[in-house]
Amino acid sequence: MILINGRFLTQRLTGVHRFAYELCCALVRQGVEIKVIAPRDIRPEYHCPFPVVTTCGKGSHGWEQWILPLYIHRHFPGQWLLSLTGLCPILYNRNILTIHDVAYLKNPHWYSRAYYWFYRIMTPLAAARSAEILTVSLFSRDELVKYMHLDSKHIHIVYNAVNTEPLGHIQPSERPYILSVCTLDPRKNLSRLLEAYSRIENRDFDLYLVGGSNSVFQTPELSQYRHMKGVRFLGYIGDDEQLGTLYRNALAFVSPSLYEGFGIPNLEAMYRSCPLVVSDIPVYHEICGPAALYMNPMDIDDMCRSISRIAGDAELRQQLIVAGSEQVKRFDWDTSARNVLSILNSYE
């Protein structure tokens, strides 16, 4: 049996939480016995096809660091605990930990001071209490070695993948649009994206932004763009079918991020036949390969040219759609789950 840290079930189903949820689902599909231990305040968007044991307390860091290890010591002594979203209980010493990226170390000004110092202290302690580390890309593995001085022999790549259901519907929209899906935090580079969009002359397409804000980030000032003609801030969308429909009907998907550990929305777009224009950063080359048009995320003029090009070139969009349909096949939740299982089995 595999014990899994279920604190992620109390948080929005985005990014690292998607990774945790989909891996749990994939492990169950393969007949693996798992038990997810979680606080009581599980969010309603999680429809869990796996056993969940709830304990006292809510989904805070205090629950993860105190209640969770005490519960395991009492009910499952000696079992390995798999944590999939960034931290594990440092009072427990049989951990397999996932660290998705080290953005807070590389660019601390993107985060609140409280968030930065908490993770600056806790992540090395959690890593020291873990037998193995999982991460989501070769890029992130190299970052962990560089910034946290971890031994690469104990870091394992477990890729994100794409949820294959549902695709979403094809529905003609009043005006074509470019889509971006991300949280409203500085590393997503939305202020430059919005400025680039504003510079496009005679634009005949809108810009849809999907994603919510988070208090841990030093959120950029975007209010000046909220009433710009053609820009729609859609907020957080937790319904996969609704989000799939947005991908399916978009002219293209744009990701101007300055830093990522992976970037699941790029896979979601490829799976739903939505061509990509993305930042020219190492991890996106690793994930997207030949299936994207790359742009300089620091150069607003280059971003403007790239967006205009993909919006106006139907042949290019079709080429990227075809390349994306092949590229996305490299990423599969069941394959990732088998990789996790092989690591855990080595400790039985």
Side-chain angles (χ1 to χ4, degrees):
M1 181 180 65
I2 299 174
L3 296 183
I4 296 178
N5 178 351
R7 181 171 176 253
F8 71 90
L9 293 173
T10 68
Q11 299 164 318
R12 281 181 174 178
L13 184 55
T14 60
V16 299
H17 315 102
R18 171 71 71 180
F19 175 84
Y21 175 75
E22 295 293 349
L23 275 181
C24 289
C25 294
L27 287 167
V28 168
R29 283 197 301 270
Q30 294 177 44
V32 179
E33 183 183 2
I34 71 171
K35 195 174 293 292
V36 179
I37 304 172
R40 291 174 178 167
D41 54 334
I42 296 173
R43 288 181 63 93
E45 64 257 42
Y46 290 97
H47 305 288
C48 302
F50 45 79
V52 178
V53 177
T54 57
T55 72
C56 62
K58 295 186 176 182
S60 64
H61 288 298
W63 178 88
E64 186 172 55
Q65 296 303 321
W66 294 97
I67 296 175
L68 176 58
L70 289 173
Y71 186 89
I72 296 172
H73 278 302
R74 178 175 297 178
H75 298 281
F76 303 100
Q79 290 279 353
W80 285 93
L81 175 68
L82 175 61
S83 294
L84 295 165
T85 58
L87 284 180
C88 63
I90 62 175
L91 294 179
Y92 196 68
N93 65 354
R94 294 176 69 82
N95 290 298
I96 305 293
L97 171 65
T98 307
I99 304 176
H100 290 256
D101 62 57
V102 292
Y104 71 96
L105 290 176
K106 195 166 185 177
N107 295 280
H109 61 281
W110 288 344
Y111 299 87
S112 68
R113 295 182 70 179
Y115 180 94
Y116 167 77
W117 282 109
F118 180 81
Y119 280 91
R120 179 71 179 82
I121 294 168
M122 291 296 293
T123 305
L125 291 174
R129 298 288 280 175
S130 301
E132 305 289 339
I133 304 293
L134 311 182
T135 195
V136 292
S137 63
L138 294 169
F139 170 77
S140 282
R141 182 196 64 186
D142 294 343
E143 294 281 274
L144 291 173
V145 172
K146 179 178 179 180
Y147 288 95
M148 293 187 63
H149 310 293
L150 299 179
D151 187 344
S152 62
K153 293 186 296 185
H154 294 285
I155 304 175
H156 307 271
I157 310 302
V158 178
Y159 280 128
N160 281 288
V162 63
N163 181 12
T164 55
E165 294 291 344
L167 276 174
H169 305 290
I170 297 178
Q171 299 172 341
S173 55
E174 294 181 4
R175 274 171 56 87
Y177 62 89
I178 301 290
L179 175 68
S180 188
V181 178
C182 61
T183 53
L184 305 183
D185 72 82
R187 67 170 168 168
K188 305 301 183 180
N189 204 24
L190 290 180
S191 58
R192 286 191 180 91
L193 172 61
L194 286 159
E195 180 61 27
Y197 177 74
S198 74
R199 294 185 187 183
I200 298 173
E201 296 182 1
N202 302 317
R203 57 183 182 267
D204 57 357
F205 57 90
D206 293 341
L207 173 64
Y208 287 13
L209 301 176
V210 173
S213 60
N214 191 313
S215 61
V216 306
F217 299 115
Q218 300 284 7
T219 304
E221 181 54 59
L222 301 176
S223 59
Q224 62 180 309
Y225 300 105
R226 288 190 178 273
H227 301 292
M228 182 192 298
K229 184 179 179 181
V231 176
R232 295 183 60 183
F233 287 85
L234 301 181
Y236 170 72
I237 295 178
D239 182 84
D240 284 349
E241 185 169 355
Q242 183 181 357
L243 189 56
T245 297
L246 285 170
Y247 282 116
R248 294 263 279 174
N249 290 280
L251 269 178
F253 177 81
V254 58
S255 179
S257 288
L258 299 172
Y259 184 98
E260 293 286 345
F262 189 90
I264 292 178
N266 293 335
L267 295 188
E268 293 174 338
M270 284 189 275
Y271 177 71
R272 292 172 174 87
S273 299
C274 183
L276 301 177
V277 53
V278 302
S279 294
D280 188 3
I281 55 177
V283 72
Y284 279 0
H285 282 275
E286 179 183 348
I287 304 309
C288 303
L293 175 64
Y294 293 93
M295 62 186 178
N296 183 345
M298 300 297 292
D299 186 335
I300 293 174
D301 288 334
D302 185 53
M303 196 180 294
C304 180
R305 287 190 297 268
S306 299
I307 294 171
S308 297
R309 181 183 173 194
I310 203 166
D313 191 335
E315 183 177 350
L316 173 62
R317 294 199 301 272
Q318 186 57 37
Q319 290 172 354
L320 294 176
I321 288 170
V322 172
S325 67
E326 290 301 314
Q327 183 71 9
V328 76
K329 293 176 183 177
R330 296 180 53 222
F331 305 95
D332 176 74
W333 287 121
D334 289 328
T335 300
S336 294
R338 286 192 291 271
N339 291 341
V340 171
L341 189 58
S342 67
I343 296 163
L344 290 165
N345 284 341
S346 68
Y347 283 90
E348 287 188 351

